[in-house]
Each structure stands twice: as C-alpha cells, then as structure tokens.
Amino acid sequence: MPRTTPSPDTGPGADGIRSRRTVRRASRRRARHRRRVYLLCALAAAGALGAAALLAGGQDGADRASAAGGGATSSASTGKGRTQAADAGRHAAGRAAPSGKATGGEGATPGARGKGSDPHKTGNGVFHTAHATGKQAGTGTLRRYEVQVEEGTGIAPDEAAREIEGILADRRGWTADGHDAFQLVSQGPLDFVVRIATPDTVDRLCGAAGLHTRGEVNCDVGSQVIVNLKRWNQGSPEFPGPLHEYRALIVNHEVGHRIGHGHEACPGAGRPAPAMMQQIDGLHGCVANAWPYDAKGRYLGGPAVP
C-alpha cells in the first residue's frame, strides 16, 4: 500500500500548526494596528500642540492689543483730567476780582446769526495770556486788564491784545469821559480780563452766571469780558462796517457794562446807534456805530432801556 506523506496541513498535528500560524498572523496584525494607532495618536498630539501654540499666540496678541487700547484710554482720561484742572485754574485766575455782576452782551438774541459759519465752535477751555503790556490810556480811575485767547482758535494772543489796547485807548472810546483809564498788563494785579473764546466755551462761562448766549454773542460776567470768537471773526449781519469796527463795538459795549453803563436804545432815525445799544438785534433806524463818543468828544447815547 503506497505510503502517503502527510501534508503539513493535513497530517497529524495539522490543527495545532494552523492554530500557531493563525496566532502569529493575528499577533502581527495587532502589532501593525498598534503602530498605526500610535502613529495617529502622535500626529494628533502634534497637531493639538501646534493649534494650542497658535491659539496662545493669537490670544497673546489680542491681550497686547487690549492692553494697548486700555492704555490709550487711560492716557486720554488722564489728559482730559489735566485739561480740566488747568481750565479750572485759569478760570479761577480770571475771577480773581469778581464784580458780582453778569450782563448780557451786545445783542443776546437767540436768532442772531453772523456772516457764514465758523469752524472753531468748540475749544478745550484752556486760555493763553498775552505777554504784551502797555501804558496807561486816559485819566481817572485806572483799570488794569489782560487779554487771554482760548487755545486752538488760531488767534495770536499778543496781536489780539494790541488790537484791544488800541480800541480802549482810542479818543472815541471810554477814555473820552475823563473819568476812566485803562492799561494792558500781562501780570500782577488786574481789574478784569478780556477773553476771546469759542462759542461753546462762551456758552459755558456765561451760562454759569445764568446768561444764555446760545453760541452767538458775548457777555460780561464776574471779572471777565468774554468775546465770542464767532463775532470776533465774522462781525454781525446788522453791522455793515469793517470787521475791526465791529470788534471795537464788542469791546466798547462789554467794557461799558463794566464801568457802569446799561443798554440804550436808538435816539432817532439816521443818528449813530449808541455803543451800548444791542445793535445785533437791529438798528431801528439808527446808523451802525462802534464808539461811545465821536471825534469831537460828544457822547453818542440814547434812551436808557429799562
């Protein structure tokens, strides 16, 4: 009978051999699976670390931006505090010798409008004092004054001071009465200060005394003659003369209040309007005029307004 050589898979113990091979194959498959799992985990971990680093970097940048923004806000707040403190100090200096009166300016009229528009409506409330000084003009009671201009108005304080000095020293001005004298100073004792300010600042300073200038007109309050920048730059629609003449009317009208003059009305058609008349409200038949006296020393007055 032919001898048959058993096949490795069919001979005695074949099942055991197949079992061992199956175990080895399974073991190898598990090893490969573990390597794949390990590799995927490693890649996932690396990706997570990279994302975390990126996120941390982005958050750090956001934090820096936020910190920078907070710093800018703090700086702005601090600067505002300094401005307000400086403003308060200067206002206190301007009220060094309060007269206790508050007088509406040349035409405190709600509907008054100038020629054109003024871009300088709002200022920071900080005033710069002119360094210019002058000699006494006139005889009688001496009133020392200084001139201040609000920052950012584009007006040089010294130039404004010289123009105002010329107005108060003019022979048609208040020195013509022989009782009032004026002197421009930049330091030392003073009786009043002339301030040129933006409309909003005028409203604030005049409003503190209960006067309603509505961004349009001037006022005399405490020890301050407050000139509205809009009127200083644009004049008045009711005043056809040169701008310097209208500036003279502003100064003469407000200083007139300081030395005791009240409002006056038109004395008659065709006659010069009194400097103490609120000419911005209308001339009522009078001719526009900036001076309390004429060149011959005659007072250009009118009936007192109750």
Side-chain angles (χ1 to χ4, degrees):
M1 179 172 185
R3 188 174 180 179
T4 302
T5 303
S7 167
D9 294 328
T10 59
D15 290 341
I17 293 171
R18 281 196 297 273
S19 178
R20 287 194 295 275
R21 288 177 178 172
T22 298
V23 169
R24 284 196 295 273
R25 289 191 191 102
S27 178
R28 285 195 293 272
R29 282 196 299 272
R30 286 194 297 272
R32 285 195 298 272
H33 178 71
R34 284 194 297 270
R35 284 195 297 272
R36 284 198 295 272
V37 170
Y38 177 79
L39 179 60
L40 289 172
C41 289
L43 290 173
L49 289 173
L54 181 60
L55 180 61
Q59 184 61 45
D60 182 56
D63 289 343
R64 284 196 298 270
S66 177
T73 301
S74 297
S75 297
S77 300
T78 302
K80 183 178 179 182
R82 286 196 299 268
T83 299
Q84 290 173 337
D87 187 17
R90 286 176 174 84
H91 291 169
R95 294 192 297 267
S99 66
K101 69 175 182 178
T103 310
E106 197 283 306
T109 305
R113 289 293 180 270
K115 303 171 184 177
S117 60
D118 195 329
H120 302 291
K121 183 176 184 296
T122 301
N124 60 11
V126 176
F127 288 84
H128 296 282
T129 302
H131 297 295
T133 59
K135 298 179 180 180
Q136 176 176 329
T139 58
T141 303
L142 176 62
R143 293 176 173 85
R144 292 161 55 91
Y145 67 95
E146 66 181 19
V147 173
Q148 297 178 354
V149 177
E150 188 173 7
E151 189 173 272
T153 58
I155 296 175
D158 282 10
E159 291 180 8
R162 290 304 183 194
E163 185 167 3
I164 292 169
E165 180 187 30
I167 293 168
L168 289 177
D170 193 287
R171 64 178 182 173
R172 297 167 294 172
W174 293 113
T175 59
D177 64 8
H179 302 294
D180 296 286
F182 303 93
Q183 183 179 8
L184 172 65
V185 298
S186 60
Q187 59 184 355
L190 58 98
D191 295 281
F192 65 95
V193 56
V194 180
R195 283 182 157 178
I196 300 176
T198 56
D200 285 352
T201 299
V202 172
D203 287 350
R204 178 168 56 82
L205 296 178
C206 299
L211 300 175
H212 302 290
T213 47
R214 293 177 170 83
E216 293 293 333
V217 293
N218 323 281
C219 78
D220 171 47
V221 57
S223 63
Q224 304 171 93
V225 167
I226 302 173
V227 177
N228 194 311
L229 177 68
K230 182 175 182 178
R231 299 276 75 86
W232 184 264
N233 282 342
Q234 299 179 21
S236 164
E238 296 291 336
F239 196 94
L243 182 58
H244 172 72
E245 287 286 296
Y246 189 74
R247 291 175 177 176
L249 174 58
I250 294 173
V251 173
N252 287 324
H253 186 96
E254 302 304 338
V255 172
H257 283 311
R258 295 210 59 78
I259 61 177
H261 293 270
H263 286 142
E264 298 176 359
C266 175
R271 297 180 62 180
M276 296 311 299
M277 178 178 169
Q278 292 179 304
Q279 296 181 38
I280 199 170
D281 284 350
L283 297 174
H284 306 290
C286 273
V287 178
N289 165 58
W291 304 97
Y293 291 85
D294 66 14
K296 297 180 178 180
R298 293 176 297 197
Y299 184 64
L300 303 174
V305 175

